[in-house]
């Protein structure tokens, strides 16, 4: 079975893979926030990557106790450049993120319309979902960290990270990603 890599529609940078099992985002009331997907990250040993092999989508886990007491440096398996996707955290004020989302959604809509593989109803669904998911992202602003992809393209897709537990969840605007089998 082939793995699916999700790449930024603007920069072509790899952002996530289906090995992370992306799921829909739910709001406080348990309703799905349209247009977003999220993945759960975890810490892995910088030396060994725990027992997690991002390349082949085998079940995660099993590497938790390993190396934890040997003073191994732990890294986040989404952000790290070796085990993850080399994401870069950038500080953004609420106004910055609002402006980014407005421009990004506008550019993304244009890009979706240009793409022959994207149907009219899909463009429409994105246009209708955008206000709702932008509002959700902004409502979580105080709890979020913001990450660019590896090329740090300011117009490219971002990852929005927040915590529900020990390790952050990473949220992505789904239409901004192209799925590629590899």
């Amino acid at each position: 079975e082939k793995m699916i890599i999700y790449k930024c529609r603007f920069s072509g940078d790899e952002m996530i893979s289906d090995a992370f099992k992306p799921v829909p985002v739910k709001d406080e009331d348990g309703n799905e926030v349209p247009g977003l997907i999220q993945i759960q990250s975890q810490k892995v040993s910088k030396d060994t990557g725990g027992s997690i092999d991002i390349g082949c989508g085998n079940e995660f886990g099993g590497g938790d106790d390993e190396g934890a007491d040997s003073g191994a440096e732990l890294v986040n398996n989404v952000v790290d450049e070796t085990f993850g996707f080399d994401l870069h955290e950038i500080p953004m004020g609420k106004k910055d993120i609002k402006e980014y989302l407005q421009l990004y959604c506008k550019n993304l809509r244009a890009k979706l319309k240009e793409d022959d593989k994207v149907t009219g109803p899909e463009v429409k669904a994105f246009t209708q979902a955008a206000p709702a998911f932008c509002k959700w992202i902004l409502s979580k602003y105080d709890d979020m960290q913001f990450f660019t992809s590896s090329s740090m393209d300011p117009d490219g897709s971002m990852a929005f990270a927040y915590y529900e537990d020990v390790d952050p969840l990473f949220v992505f605007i789904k239409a901004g990603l192209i799925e590629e089998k590899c």
Side-chain angles (χ1 to χ4, degrees), residues 10-101:
F10 294 96
S11 65
D13 293 341
E14 295 182 3
M15 304 279 298
I16 49 168
S17 80
D18 65 346
F20 285 92
K21 304 193 174 27
V23 294
V25 172
K26 301 259 171 61
D27 65 15
E28 279 69 35
D29 305 323
N31 301 314
E32 208 169 291
V33 182
L36 298 177
I37 52 173
Q38 73 180 11
I39 57 173
Q40 175 68 59
S41 68
Q42 67 183 61
K43 289 185 190 66
V44 296
S45 159
K46 187 151 178 77
D47 305 329
T48 62
S51 61
I52 296 170
D53 179 358
I54 284 191
C56 63
N58 47 357
E59 283 303 315
F60 283 176
D64 289 351
D65 324 327
E66 189 187 319
D69 51 3
S70 65
E73 189 190 339
L74 295 178
V75 293
N76 180 283
N77 67 347
V78 174
V79 176
D80 186 69
E81 71 273 15
T82 310
F83 302 111
F85 298 94
D86 192 20
L87 304 182
H88 300 269
E89 186 176 356
I90 51 167
M92 289 186 87
K94 195 162 191 175
K95 189 168 161 274
D96 302 328
I97 205 73
K98 210 172 181 167
E99 284 170 4
Y100 164 81
L101 286 169

Side-chain angles (χ1 to χ4, degrees), residues 111-165:
K111 211 146 178 67
L112 292 170
K113 285 176 97 161
E114 284 164 22
D115 188 337
D116 300 337
K117 294 197 213 53
V118 179
T119 65
E122 285 176 286
V123 177
K124 196 173 171 198
F126 167 75
T127 307
Q128 288 170 340
F133 70 64
C134 288
K135 190 176 159 200
W136 182 85
I137 290 169
L138 289 165
S139 76
K140 283 234 179 266
Y141 172 81
D142 292 336
D143 303 319
M144 278 203 168
Q145 294 167 281
F146 304 99
F147 292 84
T148 66
S149 61
S150 56
S151 67
M152 299 182 79
D153 179 347
D155 302 320
S157 302
M158 286 183 77
F160 308 93
Y162 72 101
Y163 290 80
E164 271 180 0
D165 207 353

